[in-house]
Amino acid sequence: MSRTVTVGLDGSPESRAAAEWAAREAKLRGLPLKLVHVWEPVPEPIAQAPLVGSETRAHWSERIPREAAEGLRLRHPGVDAAVEQMSGRPAYALAEAAKDAELLVLGSRGLSGIGGFLVGSVGAAVIARTETPVVLVRSGEQAADEHEKDPAGIPSAATAYRPVVLGLDTDRPHDTVMAFAFEEAARRGTALKVVHGWNLPPYFVYGLPADPQLDAELGRQDAAALAGVLSPWRQKYPDVEVVEESRCGSPANHVIDASHEASLVVVGRRIRRSPIGARIGSVTHAVLHHATAPVAVIAHD
């Protein structure tokens, strides 16, 4: 089966922004684009109501993705955009659609007044249920937001891409996450900024006097560990400029700070097959809610 870039579409501003991002990504990857619209069943008495009857609902559920696909083909020449209708609960239907996708793209409302996302229950549930890479795109995202400003300081989609940012845990690096980040940077012809946050040893919380030499030594050790993890990947992707950032403090905060100048943020999610339900992880959860660039969540064992 042909792999696709798949996007969930419901007609909302955030899903339209996600569809635009997905079309650009499909063009970068040379893959077809699939727009998935989920028709959620409603109780029979409501379904038979004149204003929301089955014929009316069928008309709108078909019109939304059809018109979106037509517009995407016009704005993104060369992108093959197809439509798929599904019925059921959106979180389960989109997770099912993701099985045949190379990438699943979802929209997420922007937080008013501050940067970041409002990740709804559907988005969070899909991320936790699928092992396919998922990208969250906030409402209002524009192509120019992924690029450097032009010489006059004006946003432009014709300039170079901003760096791809990878949040990396040097204690548990995973090839799947690393490969995704390097591939995305290579496709965009941009740098990969690898961000790692580390914390002081636990005994520092007990009020022991500061030791600048020890702090510096811990910083050097962590920077060396980061360089060691990245060394084979630099050799595998010699054309990708790698910028290393190893800083003391919250890993999530450092990734969120870096997102302000990023075209894409990449984070991992450990797959937890638990009878009490799936979890996203605290760092990834924080980045999803507060990053200002699209966020790719990559599941790994």
Side-chain angles (χ1 to χ4, degrees):
M1 183 176 293
S2 175
R3 304 294 284 177
T4 64
V5 174
T6 297
V7 58
L9 185 72
D10 60 10
S12 64
E14 51 267 28
S15 75
R16 291 196 295 270
E20 295 290 339
W21 190 94
R24 297 194 296 272
E25 182 70 14
K27 194 165 188 175
L28 282 173
R29 291 172 176 251
L31 290 176
L33 175 67
K34 181 188 290 185
L35 283 71
V36 174
H37 182 266
V38 181
W39 185 349
E40 188 169 14
V42 298
E44 189 63 25
I46 297 177
Q48 297 304 319
L51 294 179
V52 292
S54 58
E55 292 185 3
T56 301
R57 293 179 66 244
H59 168 74
W60 283 105
S61 67
E62 293 172 1
R63 178 178 175 181
I64 289 171
R66 183 183 71 249
E67 291 183 349
E70 291 171 355
L72 289 168
R73 294 187 193 106
L74 288 172
R75 292 187 296 277
H76 304 274
V79 173
D80 177 13
V83 173
E84 179 177 343
Q85 296 277 356
M86 300 184 73
S87 178
R89 294 175 61 182
Y92 290 94
L94 289 169
E96 183 65 25
K99 292 180 180 179
D100 295 326
E102 187 165 303
L103 187 71
L104 177 66
V105 185
L106 302 175
S108 195
R109 284 174 289 166
L111 293 172
S112 177
I114 60 174
F117 298 108
L118 180 60
V119 181
S121 58
V122 171
V126 173
I127 291 170
R129 283 183 171 86
T130 183
E131 296 182 15
T132 298
V134 180
V135 176
L136 269 291
V137 179
R138 64 188 171 93
S139 177
E141 174 74 18
Q142 302 286 330
D145 297 336
E146 302 167 30
H147 294 257
E148 303 287 355
K149 292 182 179 179
D150 71 10
I154 299 173
S156 171
T159 57
Y161 278 96
R162 291 180 172 186
V164 172
V165 168
L166 168 64
L168 180 64
D169 181 353
T170 56
D171 291 333
R172 294 184 296 272
H174 198 279
D175 287 353
T176 304
V177 182
M178 303 279 286
F180 185 94
F182 272 89
E183 286 288 343
E184 289 298 306
R187 287 191 186 96
R188 289 161 171 74
T190 190
L192 177 63
K193 185 174 185 178
V194 184
V195 178
H196 173 62
W198 55 277
N199 295 310
L200 293 171
Y203 56 77
F204 274 76
V205 303
Y206 295 106
L208 294 179
D211 185 342
Q213 290 185 345
L214 179 57
D215 290 354
E217 178 58 28
L218 291 173
R220 284 191 292 270
Q221 291 176 8
D222 196 80
L226 178 58
V229 170
L230 292 173
S231 179
W233 292 93
R234 288 179 184 272
Q235 297 176 28
K236 187 174 181 179
Y237 293 88
D239 295 331
V240 174
E241 178 189 358
V242 180
V243 179
E244 301 173 24
E245 182 178 295
S246 177
R247 297 165 57 190
C248 178
S250 163
N253 287 345
H254 293 326
V255 174
I256 291 165
D257 288 344
S259 75
H260 295 290
E261 299 297 331
S263 61
L264 178 68
V265 174
V266 180
V267 291
R269 177 187 74 81
R270 187 171 295 278
I271 298 169
R272 294 180 173 88
R273 299 177 179 88
S274 168
I276 61 173
R279 293 177 59 248
I280 293 176
S282 59
V283 172
T284 295
H285 185 271
V287 172
L288 278 172
H289 280 273
H290 298 291
T292 57
V295 177
V297 182
I298 314 303
H300 61 86
D301 290 322

